[in-house]
Amino acid sequence: MNARGSTIIVAGLLGCMACSAEQSSPNLLFIVVDSLRADRLEAYGYHRPTPAISSLAKDGVLFEESYSSAPWTLPAVATLFTGLAPTRHAATNTDALMSEELETLAERLLSKGYSTSGIVSNRIIGKKTRFNQGFERFDQELARGHRFISSQLITQLAIRELAVLARDPNEKPFFLFVHYFDPHYEYRNHEQIDYAGDSFGRLKGDEKIGQLRGMLADLNESELDFIRDRYDEEILFTDSAIGRLLDRLDRLELTENTLVVFTADHGEEFRDHGWLGHTQSLYRELVRVPLILRGPGVAQKLRLADPVSAVDLAPTLLELLGFREGLGDGSSLAPLLRGEALPARPVFCEVDYLGVDEGRPGLRTCHKKSVVGERYQLVRDDQSGVVELFEYRLDPAQAFDLSEEQPEEVRRLTSLLDKHLAQLALGAREMERTQFDEAELSELRELGYVDSEDDEDH
Ligand SMILES: [Zn+2]
């Protein structure tokens, strides 16, 4: 072989590193827990233990101020999958689809030579809404509604999938997406965890979310504590399921070459701002989510304080896996994960939800926008015109609206928000909607997703 020939071969190999997966490319295990607010985790300062997630945080990087793009499942997970803000992916209503014109993280990784598998436990991010795009194998069998306890079974499925992926004769790297649902209401009693009993006061423990919302103004603090304790039980139960999955990753000797990302689609409200559940506002309890990464290219024992957005996650993961081209609206946070600095950027959240029946108490049409800066979060209700400003680190409960005291800050953040929205509007997409046939409606009703009596959100 002459000198010129070897130069060409070397150049070819280097070029290929950025275009397709090598045998040594890291695997990606992407874990999303439904409805998990960050402040209920030990790693985020909560008084109750969540040992698996704490241990993951010790071995990796934790983002203290990570924000979902939206306060409910469909738009939030669509952002995680595409790196696009809700206005741009347009999966923003109960009957909306994730358009097939969009490129997803799974599609990108599949095209780069990855094996791709998805396991979900909420039907709203299933095949019907096209969230299976790019997954060679996609399992939604455990999406059985609010009352079904699924975390340990989700872990079993994920472990089975890991075993198959680890035995791949072509030794392709894998992308495994695992979605847990138990911390989503309704909250079940876990007898092995003693935070809450079967029932308390007027609460029998089996109330549907619609019933609880009906008595929301009337619930006393102890009854609300019972609901919160039930939520915490679901979180600890899910933590132990995640712990089993991460243990298996270890036992299969995959930990070293697997990038693990752990996050939530959105948080949850317990009358913090007058509501129970999620979907209807953009306050901290709904949009601040945990975000922890561990693995190749990620520093250890690092906590980062600057606000970051869910739109940044897909490009970050792609860079950490060795690909130069990003995905969606955000930009890679990989330098931060290596321990380097990046200039802080504002983070944006939105909700444009169309209520089904405005006459009933429950889920109403809402159009709200928010921007989170280094110190303040501004929340704007585009229907009422009300603007609120919170100094979120000093006032994490967001009880004190500072908009009157800080008009300059309101003007500054409003201008950032309007500029961002004008930019999004240029690339806005028409919503594609699905139709449920009678059989599907009946199945959804059975599962608790469509209910003529209760307002259910996702
Ligand atoms: Zn959700």
Side-chain angles (χ1 to χ4, degrees), residues 46 48 195-197 222 224-234:
Y46 198 46
R48 284 178 165 153
Y195 301 155
S222 303
L224 275 173
D225 277 342
F226 169 73
I227 298 171
R228 294 185 191 108
D229 287 344
R230 278 284 188 93
Y231 176 64
D232 287 352
E233 288 195 0
E234 298 275 33

Side-chain angles (χ1 to χ4, degrees), residues 74 91 93-100 120 122-133 138-140 143 432-444 447 449-450:
L74 187 81
N93 210 45
T94 314
D95 59 351
L97 297 171
M98 193 163 68
S99 169
E100 278 173 340
V120 304
N122 185 344
R123 197 161 281 259
I124 200 158
I125 50 166
K127 294 174 185 168
K128 178 82 182 176
T129 44
R130 301 186 185 151
F131 278 70
N132 59 330
Q133 290 178 54
F138 190 83
D139 194 313
Q140 60 181 59
E432 292 178 33
R433 305 177 99 141
T434 185
Q435 293 271 329
F436 297 115
D437 62 29
E438 256 320 301
E440 284 167 337
L441 269 178
S442 147
E443 190 189 359
L444 287 167
L447 293 167
Y449 285 93
V450 178

Side-chain angles (χ1 to χ4, degrees), residues 33-35 71-74 77 122 179 181 184 265-266 278 458:
V33 178
D34 213 301
S35 312
W72 64 290
T73 312
L74 187 81
V77 178
N122 185 344
H179 166 267
F181 188 69
H184 191 288
D265 54 351
H266 53 81
H278 42 273
H458 310 279

